Amino acid sequence: IMNLRKGSKVWAEDRDSAWVAAEVADFVGKQVRVVTSAGKKVLALPEKLHPRDADDEEHNGVDDMTKLTYLNEPEVLYNLERRYELNDIYTYTGSILIAVNPFTRLPHLYNVHMMDQYKGAPFGQLSPHVFAVADASFRAMINEGKSQSILVSGESGAGKTETTKLIMQYLTYVGGRTASAGDDRKVEQQVLESNPLLEAFGNARTIRNDNSSRFGKFVEIQFDANGRISGAAIRTYLLERSRVVQITDPERNYHCFYQLCASGRDAEIYKLGHPSMFHYLNQSKTYELEGVSSADEYLKTRRAMDIVGISSEDQEAIFRTLAGILHLGNIEFSPGKEHDSSVIKDQKSGFHMQMAANLFMCDVDLLLATLSTRTIQTREGNIVKALDCNAAIASRDALAKTIYARLFDWLVDKINRSVGQDPNSRVQIGVLDIYGFECFERNSFEQFCINFANEKLQQHFNEHVFKMEQEEYSKEEINWSYIEFIDNQDVLDLIEKKPIGIIALLDEACMFPKSTHETLSTKLFHHFRSHLRLEKTKFSETDFRIAHYAGKVTYQTETFIEKNRDYVVVEHCNLLSSSKCPFVAGLFPSLPEESSRSSYKFSSVSSRFKQQLQALMETLNSTEPHYVRCVKPNSLNRPQKFEKLSILHQLRCGGVLEAVRISLAGYPTRRSYSEFVDRFGLLAPDLLDGSYDEKMITQNILQKLKLENFQLGRTKVFLRAGQIGSLDSRRAEVLDSAAKCIQHRFRTFIARRDFVSVRAAACDLQAYCRGCLARMLYEVKRKTMAAIIMQKYSRGWLIRSGYVKERAAAIAIQSSIRGFAVRQKFLYGKKHRAATLIQAQWRVRRFRLAFRHHQASIIAIQCLWRRKLARREFRRLKQEANEAGALRMAKNKLEKQLEDLTWRLHLEKRLRVSNDEAKLMEISKFQKTLESMNLELDAAKLATINECNKNAVLQTQLELSMKEKSALERELVSVAELKKENAQLKSALDTLESKNSALELALVKAQKESDAAIKKLRQVEEKWFQLQENVKSLETKLSNLEEENHILRQKALSVSPKSNRSGLVKAFSEKYSSALALPNSERKHVFDSPTPTKLLLPFSHGLSESRRTKLTAERHQENFELLSRCIREDLGFKDGKPVAACIVYNCLLHWHAFESERTAIFDYIIEGINEVLKVGDENITLPYWLSNASALLCLLQRNLRTTGFLIAAGQRSSGASALTARVAQTLKSPFKHIGFEDGLSHMEARYPAILFKQQLTACVEKIFGLIRDNIKKELSPLLGLCIQAPKIARGKSSRSPGNVPQQLPSSQWESIIEFLDSLMSRLRANHVPSFFIRKLITQVFSFINIQLFNSLLLRRECCTFSNGEYVKSGLADLEKWIVNAKEEYAGTSWHELNYIRQAVGFLVIHQKRKKSLEEIRQDLCPALTVRQIYRISTMYWDDKYGTQSVSNDVVAQMREILNRDSQNLTSNSFLLDDDLSIPFSTEDIDMAIPSIDPSDIEPPSFLSEYSCVQFLIQHQK
């Protein structure tokens, strides 16, 4: 019983809105006067009122109904309404999902990223979603090995079919079925693509829905042992066969008939016209659907048939059969000549009879006889009985229904065969899409069967809900044995119990030909007169009313018997089985002999439906059920329209309120201990001091308040119905008393403040009066003192004036005398300095002439000696060059190459001409730009010269002025004795000084202009140099690209018939083993240039051919063993340089591998690196090889070039190679000093070397991606713990002693910091370049931002004030880490956290309701989209201070923007996508990593075991 008091918040019943919010105003006897939210005063009984929690309204609803403070009907209804206004269409009621049809597109809820978020997430952790239900069923099937089922129910238009599609889409996503052989379509695609076909033949327009499914569908998705989809099957239930022959206005028949009539050419072939011409369609005047084209739908149905795999012949037969049914319905009969006989009514009926026979491809006379007569078999023989008109029409309709039903069954079977079933599947997930509870103004046999099915499902639903309640109570370890189970078995017994049940009585009535609906009703009322669930209506003798779980439904029995009868007429079957159309004959196989003896084979529709329903229930009972209740918010199919009465009726029909009633029978109110203490701890504040055991505090509070029958679970407290209202009433009393105390204190404060202000005003007035008197006295004294001071200063001025005049005269005389002396001294010093300068210049010239004479002599001697040495060396080289053998071989070889290349050059001319033209155009553009820059440079230089000339003129003028100044000074000395002349000279001197200062200012200005011009000139020169560098770099890149393309073209053209391709393919297929023993024709192409061993052993030319082959194979085997060991072993680093990369590069360079036309060594290296990455420890191997592979790539990028392919340097003869090698070795040290050795390091790369560089680039990108993915994999569980504050921290933060907030535990964030520290130490220990570390850390922080932000938007418990503070403190720790890591390694990582920083900042600000949308978008969250801000605003709730989210106006503005944008955007998801791209290129690596000298390393000790790398050891020595 609810405790009502004045001011209590309640829900009151309302005729229009079902329930309205109200407040108790007064008590009138046994009634209560309440004031509604509209201001209307209403009297109501206390038991008709329900308590209301005003706090829930501020939270924009809850995502689970069980979290409601008061679990009652109005709270459930208004919670759905609040969430629907925010486009939160999904809500839980325990494990049941309620889905409200939004009637608008919400693509952000159903993309792949959203499915990935719900994949593997615990049920209830994220926001409610249909994907969560599908994932829960899939995980339960995988973990428990038990089949699952998902029951989707709701009335027409509630979105059942769409929800079923989404469930199958998600199951296919997580099931991951691969396409079978010869079929690239998935099971889900095949099932969904068959929907248009099933909708065309099984859907029709009803009063409530234009596309209502008139059959039940159970889609069974089968899985194999690995959890992958292996097959699927579709089962259908209770097709509404009577709709084929009988419809009511404004409903329609099945869509396929109207589509066929609108098919155009096909309709003309079948002699069809407008639907109004056919009896089966014109019973209703509705022929078209709004916004739907029957012709377009016909084409979609045809496409669906093609997708399912129905051949064109079968398609033609299907539509021929449909046309035959329409013509069959237009056949009318009239009484015949004999008694109780019938004949064709008129010529029109005869035409339709002939058309029906032609379409069914059967005999027309036999068809007429089948419809108008019956054959009865007796012992004496067959008796033919004529049928009257009514019986003939009934026979016609029975034939039409039978044909259509068998056609529909054939389509379903065809779809199942197309999809494919797995007979070995042991587990499956079934998705049931079945009609909901129906209650119309007139309810017939179909509604009776549908509601019977819903009663069965409701019983199963009640058992499931009760079981869930039991599991919840068992999980929390509380006593639940006395809770009563609510059952509807009495209704099921009323309908299906034998031998006396409604179905049994209906079947009995159908067995007797003369039974009518009156006799059926009489039997029902006779047998169930005292049954509580069945009653007789007042205004009809034949109608009866059944009290279902969702309400009372009145059924009209006029058509019960006709619709329940399903006679299988033997003549019908024999007629169609003999059809010449194989399709029609296949629908009616031959009957057994015993069945053909009777003309009628009675079959009850209700009994067959009962059997199907029993089989369905057995299937569901063998599975673990999951429920989705679809709700239609309004009858107009409009978005943002919430019809409360209709939705309340659907909630009752869907069993949601029944689930609430079951919960109310136990413990409907459940609160975690932290939430209970936070809300009701103020009722006993003395119990909170010094205690942190929330369970004990909860128990003490309840005991102190003397509440009984509560239960304390492991994590929650369970309260009986009404107890939460009593607690809220006590809480309201405490808050009222606290408010009164606050008001008392506040009034005291106001009164004291007024008294203090009055007293202060009196003091101020007194002080002002005393100040006026003091100021008057002060003014008199000030004037007297001022007169004395004036006299003092006047006397002082007179005396000071006389003194100043005498002092000035003395100073003028002294300055003249001293100036004359100083000028004399200055002239003497100037002459002395000039003489010294002339002497110094003369001595310098004399010594320079002597030095130049000696230098010229030395240079002449050196030149003569070098010429002598050069002539000696030239004679020696000329003698060696005269060796005829080597030159002759080279000549022959070059002649052959010249012949081969001559015709190839002609082929390249045309390509080269076009490339040259494009290149010339580019070069001309750059030359024009360069010329313009040169002109600007010349102009700047001329300006600079002019400025210098001006400066010279000014300096000349200054010297002249100085000479004039000296002359005037001399004149001043000569007339110094005369005062008048002295005054004149002084005035002249002043004018000269002013001119001098003006000239100096002009000089300074000229110098500044000169500096500016020089600065501008330098900028122009810098731009010119930069443009030159850009032109050079572009030309270099262009030439490199052309040369690489040229190499590839030459490689493709150079394949001649003489080349042995089979040897190369064999080499790769045998894992490089054939490189050890190549045939003679290919041996010299492995490394075209000879190895150092050939140079050291010249006598090997005299060995036999087999001996040389063996030595070559051994040498290559040793090379491969060396490379394998360098790759497998950790060689470490030397001064930050990777040793392995340097050794590999030196070896390849020394073995001339880059110049080879054909070699397997590069593939061997790449394969070796990949093998090491597979078997090694990823934390050590990946950073190590990232350093080595990037270093090797940089060496290749900087030291290889692709120019000179046509020079054929790789095809030089052995003699020439030996000669070049000897010359290079002889002149090694001189070349090293003059820089020639660096020029030789740029090797000419061949085709294998270019491919090797590309493979190495891919290897670096692969290693970088593996490191990044491993980091994300390790970070994901840590981030899952960091997004939500620990419960201890959230529970105690508001109750810390002394109102001091306690410090939140940051162990989770510390674990992330420790992980980042270990990552940084691993990378730096392996000398990974800072460029890679910076890119890696940036992508890691981007991943942190995405994970935290997406989790925040998907979990409502994370959008709280206290959780925002917790995440903000963790982000501060990350900022400190970034600062400590420095920009060299962290880069712009802090900016990658923009989204989560702004979202958390929005959570923790106060006064959100005062913020406008513009302020939020511009100042608080500039990086966030409106949809993301809307999501955070609607999910936010303050668990610490109780503040509210943004204002309703801001929410309305955001909703308007979203509705407008959703029409234009293809994908408007509020979640962030992870970037999986590689954030660098080869050029970036080359520019970012410093240069490496591969020769300056210390070789490992094991290299001494290999003779092929002795050059490294000798070089080190």
Side-chain angles (χ1 to χ4, degrees), residues 1267-1278:
I1267 296 175
R1268 180 190 59 194
D1269 295 342
N1270 290 340
I1271 293 172
K1272 291 180 180 180
K1273 192 181 299 181
E1274 295 181 27
L1275 264 181
S1276 293
L1278 299 178

Side-chain angles (χ1 to χ4, degrees), residues 977-1109:
E977 298 173 352
L978 300 174
K979 290 184 179 181
K980 292 182 180 180
E981 292 178 358
N982 189 15
Q984 292 176 358
L985 290 174
K986 282 185 178 180
S987 61
L989 181 62
D990 292 336
T991 56
L992 286 176
E993 286 180 353
S994 63
K995 289 182 180 179
N996 187 17
S997 62
L999 290 174
E1000 288 179 354
L1001 291 174
L1003 178 61
V1004 171
K1005 184 177 180 181
Q1007 287 179 348
K1008 290 182 178 178
E1009 292 178 354
S1010 176
D1011 294 338
I1014 292 172
K1015 186 176 180 180
K1016 187 175 181 181
L1017 178 62
R1018 289 176 179 173
Q1019 292 178 354
V1020 172
E1021 287 179 348
E1022 289 177 358
K1023 290 183 179 178
W1024 183 67
F1025 287 133
Q1026 188 175 2
L1027 283 173
Q1028 277 190 336
E1029 291 177 358
N1030 291 339
V1031 170
K1032 290 179 181 178
S1033 63
L1034 288 173
E1035 289 178 352
T1036 305
K1037 289 183 179 179
L1038 182 62
S1039 62
N1040 289 337
L1041 291 174
E1042 289 178 352
E1043 288 157 3
E1044 288 186 4
N1045 292 334
H1046 190 62
I1047 288 173
L1048 296 175
R1049 288 197 299 270
Q1050 291 289 350
K1051 185 67 179 179
L1053 293 172
S1054 63
V1055 179
S1056 61
K1058 296 180 181 180
S1059 64
N1060 189 356
R1061 293 194 177 198
S1062 61
L1064 183 60
V1065 175
K1066 185 178 179 181
F1068 281 103
S1069 64
E1070 295 179 358
K1071 290 288 184 180
Y1072 322 108
S1073 61
S1074 62
L1076 303 178
L1078 295 173
N1080 297 334
S1081 61
E1082 294 185 359
R1083 189 183 307 122
K1084 61 183 179 181
H1085 295 293
V1086 176
F1087 300 114
D1088 287 329
S1089 300
T1091 60
T1093 311
K1094 288 185 178 182
L1095 301 177
L1096 296 175
L1097 301 175
F1099 59 86
S1100 62
H1101 294 285
L1103 297 178
S1104 63
E1105 188 69 23
S1106 60
R1107 180 62 176 169
R1108 285 200 300 271
T1109 303

Side-chain angles (χ1 to χ4, degrees), residues 854-867:
H854 289 294
Q855 187 181 30
S857 302
I858 293 171
I859 290 174
I861 295 171
Q862 289 178 348
C863 289
L864 291 174
W865 176 249
R866 288 172 182 161
R867 184 177 65 181

